[in-house]
Amino acid sequence: MNSTLFQTTSGRRVPPADARNSHGAPAYRFDARHALAQYAATGCLNDTYYATAEMQLDAVLGLCAEVPPAFIAKTALWTRQKGFMKDLPALLAALLTVEDPALAERVFDRVIDDGKMVRNFVQVLRSGAVGRKSLGSMPRRLVRRWLESRTDEQLFRAQVGASPSLSDVVKLAHPRPTTASRRALYGWLLGRPFDLDAIPDVVRRYEAFRADPSGEPPDVPFQLLTALPLDKVAWRHIALRATWQQLRMNLNTFERHGVFDERVGGGRLAAKLRDALGLASPAKKARRGVVDVLAHKLRDPVEVARARVLPYQLLVAYLASKGRVPHAISDALHDAMEHATANVPSIEGKVYVCPDVSGSMHSPVTGHRAGATTAARCIDVAALVAASVLRKNPDAEVIPFEHDVVDVKLTRRDSVMTNAEKLARIGGGGTSCSAPLQKLNREHARGDLVIFVSDNESWVDARGSSGTAMTREWEAFKVRNPRAKLVCIDIQPNRTTQAKESRDILNVGGFSDAVFEVVSAFAKGGEGAKSWVEVIEQVQL
């Protein structure tokens, strides 16, 4: 008898691998529902480290053909409302107009909920990707309903953006104006004759300022004003009126135009906003009013929640503006991060969090796109998750890995932002998802929850005849810790994992703090311990 082939092992039998990942290494294939959710929560239809945009689109459309339309609708709703994604929910909503028009009508308003989303929806339909190259009567009616449900001012503000523009959307949808102001607004948007007396006030103020860009700028999206010769006072007014996301995205622009210069005027507007927010404003600090107001807005938990910001977007804003903006603004970004990661679970017992810092994790988290590639990398997201878990769990231990474990010292008392920045500076090399578990087994460690954040493309440890190296190490860990649970958070779109889902293993994908809600319920067990697909299945249509 060959004793090498028939060794006695402890723990459960490791399930055989049924797939290969992008490196050709053993892996486990997600079923169609889980794979679709994975793509929808992490894919942005751009080129990633392992897949082109075209490959992602083909994969998503192929997966949609394997699942019921109801699951497509629920995935679109969850990834838009919880995951804050844009491209994939718009694609799924467009596909539903072909696969199940009645279902598309039921979920349209909740998925296509702003100007960016309606433009994405229209562009998908025009492209022919889902089987039609024009809107058609039913999608046209949905778009008209979206236009009619907005006020004149909301439509005016929604015109920022192109490919297609809002005027393109209006041309394609053929809405019928029911008021004189709406008729004038459509005429203005389309460059056609319109009744000047009926035009909405916001358009009148905007056109007046364009004709004479002096004095206080109108309260309109600042992207409509940037081509005009604005002075520092005007830029200060624009910053004070900016939405939370506009403020977060344009800190360097505002700094460059003197918004944070305490010698610039505009104090009366700052005072009004400061009073409305209930901020203290002693006379000797009146000149710092603008910075105070902007910092307060950035750290306001209500504003952070309303903006539906992804934590990594805050890290990008912090890193890009560090050393250029006042300390009060940088400190406010730290505070905002604490709010944005509030859903990180506090877990009883020992927690290990393992961020992947390998070479592939240094690619843009939302993929490459000409002229619009994000500065945020996969490693930034992994670092944020690790730092967030450490912040909420005193007994947590962070074990970064690439081809092997990387030694790095983190302090729980540091902010999420500081620890994430420290983690994101390390890494490179190949991927071995089994390395952290191998270390824990070597040290005979005890633990209750192990969290991996990775792209799941493990290959350095591709050896052995059964299953994946990560699963084999997990089963060895379970011998000492029979009640332990494993969570694999994936941040890149693919169809495989290194750990097959079971009652003690959860696979979930995405960048938003909604992922923490799923992880928290799974870690606590009981009634809330559901798979990610089960969570999506519970979405109400």
Side-chain angles (χ1 to χ4, degrees), residues 31-52:
D31 65 29
R33 292 185 306 164
H34 196 124
L36 177 61
Q38 192 78 12
Y39 274 90
T42 61
C44 297
L45 299 178
N46 299 322
D47 293 345
T48 64
Y49 192 87
Y50 289 106
T52 66

Side-chain angles (χ1 to χ4, degrees), residues 33-155:
R33 292 185 306 164
H34 196 124
L36 177 61
Q38 192 78 12
Y39 274 90
T42 61
C44 297
L45 299 178
N46 299 322
D47 293 345
T48 64
Y49 192 87
Y50 289 106
T52 66
E54 290 77 15
M55 290 167 62
Q56 289 186 55
L57 176 59
D58 289 345
V60 170
L61 295 178
L63 291 167
C64 285
E66 298 181 45
V67 303
F71 188 77
I72 298 174
K74 291 178 179 182
T75 302
L77 284 168
W78 196 91
T79 53
R80 176 58 185 156
Q81 296 181 334
K82 295 289 189 176
F84 309 149
M85 300 298 282
K86 299 181 181 71
D87 295 350
L88 264 298
L91 171 64
L92 298 182
L95 182 63
L96 283 173
T97 66
V98 176
E99 299 296 327
D100 193 327
L103 196 52
E105 184 149 7
R106 289 171 62 186
V107 303
F108 179 84
D109 294 329
R110 287 179 285 164
V111 177
I112 309 302
D113 56 3
D114 64 19
K116 169 65 174 173
M117 290 300 292
V118 80
R119 290 190 290 105
N120 284 354
F121 176 79
V122 169
Q123 182 58 28
V124 170
L125 289 174
R126 293 171 69 191
S127 73
V130 299
R132 60 164 91 226
K133 297 201 70 172
S134 63
L135 290 192
S137 59
M138 184 264 185
R140 183 176 290 113
R141 176 165 49 80
L142 293 178
V143 173
R144 277 201 300 261
R145 188 171 76 191
W146 186 92
L147 292 168
E148 292 164 357
S149 67
R150 268 64 186 175
T151 65
D152 291 343
E153 183 161 338
Q154 286 173 333
L155 283 185

Side-chain angles (χ1 to χ4, degrees), residues 414-531:
D414 282 342
S415 71
V416 170
M417 200 86 81
T418 299
N419 278 330
E421 189 179 0
K422 186 183 297 185
L423 273 172
R425 287 198 296 263
I426 65 176
T431 308
S432 177
C433 289
S434 63
L437 290 170
Q438 192 175 57
K439 173 184 183 295
L440 295 175
N441 286 331
R442 192 166 54 245
E443 297 172 352
H444 306 287
R446 300 283 179 175
D448 300 282
L449 179 68
V450 181
I451 302 174
F452 275 76
V453 195
S454 174
D455 59 10
N456 263 319
E457 297 291 349
S458 189
W459 60 274
V460 172
D461 53 2
R463 56 186 177 274
S465 58
S466 176
T468 63
M470 181 179 181
T471 303
R472 291 195 294 273
E473 294 294 342
W474 174 245
E475 292 304 331
F477 186 83
K478 287 282 289 185
V479 172
R480 294 188 314 280
N481 305 279
R483 301 184 65 179
K485 292 185 177 182
L486 172 66
V487 174
C488 301
I489 302 176
D490 203 334
I491 52 179
Q492 287 282 269
N494 59 61
R495 289 205 64 165
T496 66
T497 179
Q498 288 294 294
K500 192 176 184 67
E501 193 142 311
S502 65
R503 59 181 175 79
D504 59 0
I505 298 176
L506 172 72
N507 285 285
V508 60
F511 324 128
S512 79
D513 65 342
V515 170
F516 293 133
E517 297 176 8
V518 180
V519 172
S520 178
F522 181 77
K524 291 176 182 176
E527 289 295 319
K530 296 179 174 61
S531 73

